Amino acid sequence: MFFRSRAPVLIPVRMSCLLSFKLSVFSTVLLLLCTRFVCCNNGRRVGDALDAEFSGFSVPLEHSFEVDDVAKFRVRGALVLKAGREPSVSLSQNQLSEEDRTKLKEVAAVDGLYRIRVPRVFLQADRQTERQMEGYLTAFVRACAMVESHLSDVIALHTDVSGYLIGVSIVTFPGACRGTEVEDEVDLEVFNTTLSIMAPVNAPGPETALFLERMEQELERKGKNPQEQKSFFAKYWMYIVPLVLFLMMSGAQDQSGGGAGGGAANGGGR
Amino acid sequence: MTDLFVDRLVICRRQQYVGKVRFAHFDMHVQSSKKVLVATEKNVFASLNTRTGEVYWRHVDKTGPEGNIDALLMHGQDAVLVVGNGRLLRSWDINIGGLNWEIVLDSGSFQSACFVGQQDSVKYVAVLKKSAVSLHYLSNGHQKWVENLPESETVQYQAVYSGGNGEVYTLGVVPHSHITIVAYSVEDGEIIKQISVDAPWLSNIQASCAVVGQGMLICADPATVSLYMLDLNVQSQMTQIPLQSLGLEVSPGFQPTVVSTQPNPARPPHSEFFVQLGPDHYQLLQLNNGQIVALRDFKPAMLVSFATTGEKTVAAVMAPKNKTGLYKSGRRLLDTTLIFNMDPNGGKPEKLYVQAFLKKDDSVGYRVMVQTEDHTLTFIQQPGRVMWTREEALSDVVTMEMVDLPLTGTQAELEGEFGKKADGLLSMVLKRLSSQLILLQAWIAHLWKLFYDARKPRSQVKNDVTIENLSRDEFNLQKMMVMVTASGKLFGIDSKTGTILWRHYLDNIPSNAAFKLMVQRTTAHFPHPPQCTLLIKDKDTGLATLHVFNPIFGRKSHITPPALPQPILQSLLLPLMDQDYAKVLLLVDDQYKVSAFPSTKNVLQQLQEMASSIFFYLVDSSQGRLSGYRLRTDLSTEMIWEVIIPTEVQRIVSVKGKRPNEHVHSQGRVMGDRSVLYKYLNPNLLAVVTESTDLHQERSFVGILLIDGVTGRIIHEAVQRKARGPVHLVHSENWVVYEYWSTKSRRNEFSVLELYEGMELYNSTVFSSLDRPHPPQVLQQSYIFPSSISTLEATLTEKGITSRHLLVGLPSGAILSLPKMFLDPRRPEIVSEQSREENLIPYSPEMPIRTEWFINYNQTVSRVRGIYTAPSGLESTCLVVAYGLDIYQTRVYPSKQFDVLKDDYDYMLISSVLFALFFATMISKRLAEVKLLNRAWR
């Protein structure tokens, strides 16, 4: 549950965690998704935001929702980005005003869009001036989804390999528009945002080392187990020897029989 | 199971091409020779059979400037080629196509080459480079001498000439100043003389000059409308001869050119020559004792050419409407005419090659080969009979589609019955009766034909495919291949026989055009004709034109496409249809305004209704920008998302969506423990490939982004480190397969990404990009591939039940059909009971290439550039067309022919068993009854 008050609420708690989705059915961990989550709006006061631990810098998160769908961006909150090997982000945002709430509902009624944008930034730059770049990254959800989810959204910032912010995405949870009326005004006051910043994952190359290791193990196992080393003859000698003996015996009999017959024939011819 | 008869004999065929001809020479050294040697712009050197047009042999060199053929000289059995801007000199034996010798020439850009003869025998080849001239033995290629050209910094040497008198002349020019002529001795390369003659009007020797007669250089000057003559043997001034004094006039603004002939390099050129005076005006002149005499005027004349056989030389002139051959032998002039029809759908003639031969009565006969703008070669024999045509435009197919053939008349009649609107009960009954009658009639005719054919021996039953008798076969295996070539010529090819059924040349195609072919209406909507639309876009200006045509007959549609005054950024074919069942094509211009084609009221109304659910994306790779737009009801657009990939780090190489006509049969995969892993089947998913700008082998990488095309959400982002392009990618179902070059291990590697929703579906009835909050699980695995690849495509079948294969075009010309099963990220490292249950192959890092997977056996496809796959009416069968320099068509059966009975299927056995069982049941039933009755009595 989150805190509800009229005062600008906010603040950031950092909760950098490494999630590894291990799919129980797979024998190996096939995917390692690194995300750093920051949860917001847990009801601390604004002043706490300016903690010393944040040596990062702040960029505005803006949003726009208009009945005529012409974007007019206004500040929704401030993103505090912290560069480094594991970049992190936190968000401090204001509540929706009375006016905004009604407008959002109106926009939702005409199936308008709720858009957000963040300026392009370069996280790894040393100086502030180098960080800001020209242009914005934008994303949207349907306004009705925003309303029906009671402002529960998931915002993800994506960076590229070198730390440039390349995209932003927003989804609401639940994501569907079912046309349910949101009666309680209070439901539309506070954003319940889950925020993450994601760097690209490293795609795996061919797993030669592991494969070779396994092959070696198999070879070793075979070497240890002399049972498998046995040749065909070694395995089945007990069947083969009687068979051969039997054949030899019968063959010898035939021959002697034939010899006898031949002799008789010769005799007959005389 | 379906029972059918498949014609297994004609299943795959290949057609070989050579490309647009740059040089062609007829083999003259044997009187009855049937060869013509061609060197083409595709860097192919080939020998064609003049009787049939087939390729005897063909040598395919490297693509690009490295294999470029600069010159082709023919003498006797030897063909001498200069390759790669004067890098190599090669001699081929034209009978067998074997290499006689090859030598590497000194560096320097190539200018010209010629044979050098002495005392009636040709012994050497002279090669002129920018700053040197060298002489090589014709027998072994060894260099006899090489000499630096004097003042080569200022003088541009452009031509080399030898008249068989022991001297080699190099002709150079200082533009708008003077001509420099240097004569070398053939024996030792010593400079015999060096002349410099003022010629302030001349800028290019090869364009406006030619050597005629006993070493007389004749140049044409458009400014003063006169010819200039210079005797190379005597140092002198240039003599000016105004064309007016010969009674000739030049078309205003036309640069006259001189065409001469030197049939034997050991002898000086003939004294007769042509001067082109206008675009369709030629004049035959003769140089007689230093005087120019006008022989004959040809107007209109499109092309001229000389040909020699024995001691006789003919000049051929091609004129519109007919074609005149002018025989010249000694002083007699003889005329014969050969009239043939040009293809009205072809281009204008461009080059004329004449093969002259001596008939038995010592008169001269001739055949001609005409090359037209659309890269077609036509070979014509007297009297005007076309022996063969080669469509060399097909060596450069850009894009293609396969279109279903139309139904036969009777089938169409039946279809039409349902298509038309109901108008009364009685008329409906009558219509039904009449169509039934027609069907009966057709059936009887068919039976009669079967009976009639059965009496004839098999070999005589011919199935010639013509445009008239085209009709869909029972299983839709025969289709029309509509091919678009870079030259702007469109072809309709029957997929079963490979015969070209129609061709259509579009002139005014810009040289750097990009083509996009779309099928707006298929053949399914009788009586509306099928309709294809070709979008032709100039890559520089972005301006586009539309060509609307019927894909079955190739005729241009009567529908006038809209004029497109603005550059076009994107085009998309919507699944919406207008009242005539034509799919709607949306075109987005650079003002982000959308226009629809067709734009009837009905369409606009539908668009307005649908507008809020029509999204599209644009890619600007120069700025690394991917942006999504939504259509508004007034057909304007609004940007809704934007992703910017900084161009300093990486650049977007390709963006690939899924094919719209793809079906996925099963939504999930059954696991070993009987649970289901559901696939993430997002039809709007785009796979974006980027390559790093830093090409250092330690730091270069290939990036893969999966982006939802509607919401702009980045679904997955991965980098393949220490990798480089070119990246080939296939995106289908819930997987992406790509191939890259690993700089670390120096090998090609395949990687596969598969996306799964997990153990339960979020919404199993419908997929909406706007309502899928959970990101999919992404699995990835990579493999080593032992060869580089040229192209990659996946098989496609009607309903998607058949397992998928990847079709890999290899540089060796083979096409590998690689089961997708081998590219499965769930292949386990360690085999377990469950993975065995699932039929997963244990992981091994190397992907095998098994030769039995080559679907084209020994019929290699040179320089394969693309593979097109299309479903057939049979679920098991996928039609495949590979195109490049050659075109190859076949069918593949990724899961074997599971819906087809075998040829040796024993009908007798199965029916006799059935009958036996039936009777056995009857008898046993009767016996049982009797037994029951008896028991009841007891």
Side-chain angles (χ1 to χ4, degrees), chain B residues 446-459:
Chain B
H446 176 71
L447 281 186
W448 173 248
K449 190 167 175 288
L450 270 185
F451 174 70
Y452 193 76
D453 282 350
R455 295 189 311 172
K456 283 199 277 187
R458 207 131 211 239
S459 56

Side-chain angles (χ1 to χ4, degrees), chain B residues 812-856:
Chain B
S812 64
I815 297 165
L816 183 76
S817 179
L818 186 67
K820 170 69 179 59
M821 222 176 17
F822 282 86
L823 288 154
D824 183 349
R826 303 191 53 248
R827 284 175 68 175
E829 299 268 356
I830 296 144
V831 189
S832 69
E833 200 57 49
Q834 288 199 345
S835 70
R836 215 171 283 148
E837 183 88 354
E838 256 189 90
N839 273 331
L840 291 176
I841 307 162
Y843 180 78
S844 77
E846 188 165 21
M847 186 75 57
I849 291 185
R850 297 197 188 143
T851 40
E852 68 262 27
W853 286 347
F854 291 156
I855 57 169
N856 53 346

Side-chain angles (χ1 to χ4, degrees), chain B residues 665-702:
Chain B
H665 183 251
S666 81
Q667 286 220 321
R669 283 178 64 163
V670 181
M671 317 275 284
D673 59 0
R674 296 280 171 264
S675 61
V676 177
L677 185 61
Y678 287 100
K679 295 173 184 171
Y680 179 77
L681 297 167
N682 183 350
N684 309 317
L685 196 66
L686 303 174
V688 181
V689 180
T690 61
E691 277 178 40
S692 62
T693 45
D694 188 351
L695 291 175
H696 186 271
Q697 61 166 19
E698 285 295 314
R699 294 186 295 271
S700 69
F701 64 88
V702 167

Side-chain angles (χ1 to χ4, degrees), chain A residues 31 69 115 159 203-204 214, chain B residues 630 638-639 717 719 782 829:
Chain A
L31 173 82
D69 248 0
R115 303 149 187 264
T159 66
R214 212 184 66 211
Chain B
R630 182 164 84 154
E638 54 177 339
M639 192 173 81
E717 193 189 352
V719 284
S782 299
E829 299 268 356

Side-chain angles (χ1 to χ4, degrees), chain B residues 46-106:
Chain B
S47 165
L48 306 178
N49 185 337
T50 55
R51 300 283 142 82
T52 60
E54 280 162 18
V55 177
Y56 273 124
W57 48 259
R58 185 178 72 166
H59 294 287
V60 183
D61 208 334
K62 287 178 192 135
T63 50
E66 231 181 318
N68 189 42
I69 298 171
D70 302 318
L72 167 65
L73 303 170
M74 283 250 307
H75 182 259
Q77 288 198 43
D78 300 327
V80 177
L81 263 75
V82 183
V83 178
N85 197 14
R87 196 172 51 89
L88 293 170
L89 189 66
R90 284 191 187 132
S91 166
W92 299 90
D93 183 303
I94 59 171
N95 285 332
I96 52 167
L99 185 68
N100 290 333
W101 47 260
E102 174 189 272
I103 57 151
V104 181
L105 295 173
D106 296 338

Side-chain angles (χ1 to χ4, degrees), chain B residues 634-898:
Chain B
D634 61 345
L635 293 190
S636 63
T637 59
E638 54 177 339
M639 192 173 81
I640 48 175
W641 60 264
E642 200 169 21
V643 167
I644 303 170
I645 299 164
T647 46
E648 299 93 74
V649 184
Q650 49 193 337
R651 61 195 166 87
I652 299 172
V653 182
S654 73
V655 178
K656 263 204 173 168
K658 290 177 189 173
R659 287 178 65 161
N661 57 346
E662 166 184 288
H663 292 272
V664 181
H665 183 251
S666 81
Q667 286 220 321
R669 283 178 64 163
V670 181
M671 317 275 284
D673 59 0
R674 296 280 171 264
S675 61
V676 177
L677 185 61
Y678 287 100
K679 295 173 184 171
Y680 179 77
L681 297 167
N682 183 350
N684 309 317
L685 196 66
L686 303 174
V688 181
V689 180
T690 61
E691 277 178 40
S692 62
T693 45
D694 188 351
L695 291 175
H696 186 271
Q697 61 166 19
E698 285 295 314
R699 294 186 295 271
S700 69
F701 64 88
V702 167
I704 299 287
L705 260 98
L706 302 179
I707 295 184
D708 189 303
V710 171
T711 62
R713 187 178 176 196
I714 297 176
I715 304 285
H716 182 68
E717 193 189 352
V719 284
Q720 197 84 48
R721 303 233 178 226
K722 292 174 190 164
R724 207 170 33 171
V727 178
H728 298 274
L729 180 125
V730 174
H731 184 188
S732 179
E733 284 188 32
N734 65 329
W735 47 265
V736 174
V737 171
Y738 60 92
E739 187 261 8
Y740 58 90
W741 171 258
S742 163
T743 51
K744 186 188 165 200
S745 319
R746 294 169 187 279
R747 64 192 177 199
N748 290 284
E749 290 176 4
F750 258 117
S751 196
V752 57
L753 279 160
E754 283 195 2
L755 294 99
Y756 290 99
E757 291 222 350
M759 290 304 170
E760 52 198 61
L761 272 180
Y762 179 79
N763 177 353
S764 57
T765 49
V766 67
F767 188 97
S768 166
S769 287
L770 296 168
D771 179 20
R772 278 285 137 147
H774 301 296
Q777 299 161 7
V778 183
L779 315 179
Q780 186 166 18
Q781 215 169 51
S782 299
Y783 315 89
I784 302 162
F785 193 66
S787 164
S788 68
I789 71 169
S790 307
T791 184
L792 195 63
E793 188 52 81
T795 60
L796 193 67
T797 53
E798 182 87 7
K799 297 272 177 263
I801 299 167
T802 310
S803 60
R804 309 291 295 268
H805 276 201
L806 288 174
L807 299 170
V808 188
L810 303 177
S812 64
I815 297 165
L816 183 76
S817 179
L818 186 67
K820 170 69 179 59
M821 222 176 17
F822 282 86
L823 288 154
D824 183 349
R826 303 191 53 248
R827 284 175 68 175
E829 299 268 356
I830 296 144
V831 189
S832 69
E833 200 57 49
Q834 288 199 345
S835 70
R836 215 171 283 148
E837 183 88 354
E838 256 189 90
N839 273 331
L840 291 176
I841 307 162
Y843 180 78
S844 77
E846 188 165 21
M847 186 75 57
I849 291 185
R850 297 197 188 143
T851 40
E852 68 262 27
W853 286 347
F854 291 156
I855 57 169
N856 53 346
Y857 310 108
N858 61 345
Q859 308 229 335
T860 53
V861 188
S862 275
R863 290 194 198 145
V864 54
R865 249 210 344 264
I867 295 175
Y868 178 87
T869 53
S872 73
L874 277 176
E875 172 54 32
S876 64
T877 310
C878 169
L879 305 175
V880 176
V881 184
Y883 53 87
L885 190 60
D886 302 337
I887 293 175
Y888 180 78
Q889 200 273 326
T890 190
R891 300 170 190 166
V892 289
Y893 316 98
S895 299
K896 304 273 158 47
Q897 289 180 291
F898 61 84

